[in-house]
Amino acid sequence: MGYLRRHAALRQPGDRPEPVSGWLFALTLAAQAILFPYLFRHGVEKARLYMMIFFVVLLALVAALAGLAGAALPQGSILFLLGAPAALVLALLLCLASVPLSVRQYVKRLG
């Protein structure tokens, strides 16, 4: 409990929330939107291989981009702060576009 008290004491009343959580949520939604059509087309058992490959590639890509963006785009920059809501909107649009595609893939799978 001491850690939580010390951490809470470091935050000031006017502090803004970190935009990293917005970026992570947008990345999760985008990954879901990309994987859904594969899952509905091939089924969960066959699509498991696609999911593993996708997440390994995604992890490598995020690690590489984090290294590049850390120097070029510090967390306090305006692009980093305003990019999180834009990334969330883009990820939501990608999810909305993925749903009809997934339904079509499922219909094709059934016959």
Side-chain angles (χ1 to χ4, degrees):
M1 192 64 170
Y3 172 77
L4 292 176
R5 282 190 203 144
R6 282 190 308 241
H7 185 66
L10 293 176
R11 293 194 55 99
Q12 300 299 322
D15 284 350
R16 285 188 246 164
E18 293 291 326
V20 174
S21 58
W23 281 101
L24 289 175
F25 189 58
L27 181 66
T28 303
L29 284 176
Q32 176 182 337
I34 291 170
L35 283 174
F36 268 179
Y38 287 111
L39 290 172
F40 280 94
R41 174 67 181 212
H42 300 289
V44 175
E45 293 298 321
K46 289 182 183 177
R48 188 181 316 164
L49 178 64
Y50 292 124
M51 289 184 348
M52 284 187 239
I53 292 171
F54 177 76
F55 281 117
V56 167
V57 169
L58 184 66
L59 179 66
L61 183 66
V62 166
L65 288 177
L68 292 174
L73 192 63
Q75 285 190 8
S77 74
I78 194 73
L79 283 174
F80 190 78
L81 294 173
L82 294 179
L88 279 171
V89 169
L90 185 65
L92 284 172
L93 290 175
L94 191 60
C95 279
L96 288 175
S98 175
V99 170
L101 180 63
S102 299
V103 170
R104 274 188 262 141
Q105 294 293 331
Y106 187 67
V107 169
K108 282 183 185 179
R109 182 175 176 236
L110 289 178

